[in-house]
Amino acid sequence: AERGRRSVRWPRKMMAAAIAAAVLVGTAAAAAGPLWERYFGHLDEGQQAVIDSLSATPETLPAAESNGTVMTPLAAFGDRDFYYLMLEIRAPEGTVLPDYGEEKGYYQLFGDVPGEKISLMDGDGQELYNNREFAWMPRTGEDNVLTAVLRLWPAEGVDFSDGTDKILHIPGLWVQSPDKVYTPVLTGSWDFNIGAHSGGVESRTPDVAGVTVESEDCGTMTLEYLRISPLGMRIRYSWSDPVEGVWPSAELAVVMKDGSEVSLANSVGSAGEDWSEAYGPFDTPVNIEQAAAVRWGDAIIPLEAD
């Protein structure tokens, strides 16, 4: 992602599915919810409780220093499909990190040549592929400080919940111009082991046997798998009458007990001739205890506690 939050287009060809993954952890100041309002916006008590429960381990990810710049994890949490890291970047005293508008450029945590990319490695140095995006938080008034939030999406074979080392490497800070010219601002090596901890995951996989909806172009769509967690959903389905170049879909939303609905912020997935699967995050965490059902098109799938 070049500018923080953005959707990812589904590939229009058959490819291996991006399968599960994830768990989290890392911070641990009490009441983590209010800190995350800088990113999510206002959180109600239930949403704050979700974040606090997923951030409840006592360990704290340590800060890392390189070439005089200190990067400090302020908070981190996640579940089986998403990992959020709030990171303070503090340049040496006397350094000014200007504010940029899009007409002048914007900050990136990577450059445009080999060796200048963010990476995630296992304990043996093998790359763990993942999707990622980041957003910049409002400035605090200090000229030498920026705060970023990174959201990691797992790729096939990556499992944050297995308790093994997963080293997130950040190579520095760049400014990307509107013409995509990258100018280094701070370079070095900052590493964070986001996989050394694990925590409880509250997710539900409701019974979807017999759940179908009709597609205008591709016949009957059959739901094969659904998982919902406080941070997002994952779905797989197939259809009866394939049409070349057509990938049917149905709206996916969580129906809360008060009647309101919560949809995904965006999604990424893969598809074949007669099947599709995808996963994506909510705009803000969802209190699963207050969720009554999932709606897929005109089909309603009740949620019951596991």
Side-chain angles (χ1 to χ4, degrees), residues 34-142:
L35 181 62
W36 284 98
E37 288 190 346
R38 297 175 62 188
Y39 175 73
F40 292 112
H42 175 70
L43 298 169
D44 62 29
E45 290 184 3
Q47 292 168 325
Q48 289 185 21
V50 167
I51 291 176
D52 291 344
S53 68
L54 292 175
S55 304
T57 58
E59 298 89 350
T60 299
L61 287 169
E65 187 273 338
S66 182
N67 296 330
T69 294
V70 178
M71 295 192 183
T72 304
L74 301 179
F77 71 96
D79 66 10
R80 293 183 65 180
D81 284 311
F82 303 99
Y83 186 95
Y84 292 81
L85 174 65
M86 184 180 293
L87 188 68
E88 180 189 84
I89 302 167
R90 183 174 291 273
E93 290 293 334
T95 302
V96 176
L97 301 176
D99 288 320
Y100 287 96
E102 289 196 4
E103 69 284 354
K104 294 184 178 179
Y106 34 88
Y107 287 113
Q108 302 283 27
L109 293 174
F110 53 84
D112 60 345
V113 301
E116 295 179 350
K117 69 174 184 176
I118 298 174
S119 63
L120 187 67
M121 303 286 184
D122 65 16
D124 296 323
Q126 298 297 311
E127 186 165 6
L128 302 173
Y129 294 101
N130 61 92
N131 298 299
R132 67 184 70 89
E133 56 188 339
F134 64 90
W136 297 102
M137 298 297 95
R139 302 291 293 266
T140 61
E142 296 179 275

Side-chain angles (χ1 to χ4, degrees), residues 264-276:
L264 298 180
N266 49 54
S267 64
V268 62
S270 52
E273 180 184 8
D274 63 352
W275 63 270
S276 180

Side-chain angles (χ1 to χ4, degrees), residues 138-185:
R139 302 291 293 266
T140 61
E142 296 179 275
D143 290 340
N144 64 324
V145 176
L146 296 172
T147 302
V149 170
L150 287 81
R151 178 164 62 189
L152 304 181
W153 307 35
E156 183 178 6
V158 179
D159 183 357
F160 286 131
S161 66
D162 61 12
T164 61
D165 291 341
K166 294 175 182 64
I167 311 302
L168 177 67
H169 169 74
I170 297 175
L173 182 70
W174 280 258
V175 172
Q176 180 185 335
S177 74
D179 296 327
K180 295 188 178 298
V181 175
Y182 287 76
T183 302
V185 178

Side-chain angles (χ1 to χ4, degrees), residues 211-264:
V211 176
T212 62
V213 297
E214 294 301 314
S215 164
E216 184 176 328
D217 299 310
C218 299
T220 300
M221 296 192 298
T222 300
L223 188 58
E224 298 177 354
Y225 178 81
L226 174 66
R227 185 173 75 225
I228 176 175
S229 82
L231 302 184
M233 287 190 285
R234 180 179 291 272
I235 185 173
R236 179 183 172 97
Y237 60 95
S238 58
W239 48 91
S240 60
D241 303 322
V243 176
E244 185 176 358
V246 177
W247 289 267
S249 63
E251 185 180 12
L252 183 67
V254 182
V255 181
M256 306 303 289
K257 292 179 180 179
D258 64 5
S260 62
E261 293 192 352
V262 181
S263 299
L264 298 180

